[in-house]
Amino acid sequence: MVPAEPSPLYATISPRADAGAAIVPQGGNTGYVGGATPEPGRRQLVVSLERLASLRSIDPLNFTMECDAGMILAQAQAAGLLWVAETADGAAAGFAL
């Protein structure tokens, strides 16, 4: 599943979770977080967050931003926010970590 908006997720995820399926969110797919990899033999719904990458707001006075879970660090930095956390692959590392 690769949603572009959060709202369709609720209708899709809820019945599957109620039925016992695990939800596996995938962010930047850097490989840093093993939890983003589905486990063999389990009922799972893989949800890619790559299209959920909207920047909602930036407040430069309070040094805060609101963004979707799929936004990667490089996108945040390009928007003008100095993000002090660096990773080996900052271009792909996501906030969903």
Side-chain angles (χ1 to χ4, degrees), residues 30-81:
T30 60
Y32 292 128
V33 181
T37 304
E39 294 180 26
R42 293 192 60 202
R43 293 183 339 167
Q44 300 163 83
L45 172 64
V46 178
V47 180
S48 171
L49 302 175
E50 67 182 318
R51 290 178 54 197
L52 293 172
S54 295
L55 175 63
R56 304 293 177 171
S57 66
I58 292 181
D59 181 349
L61 295 176
N62 291 307
F63 301 102
T64 61
M65 69 181 294
E66 180 183 354
C67 62
D68 289 345
M71 179 172 274
I72 60 174
L73 295 176
Q75 289 171 308
Q77 290 171 333
L81 182 71

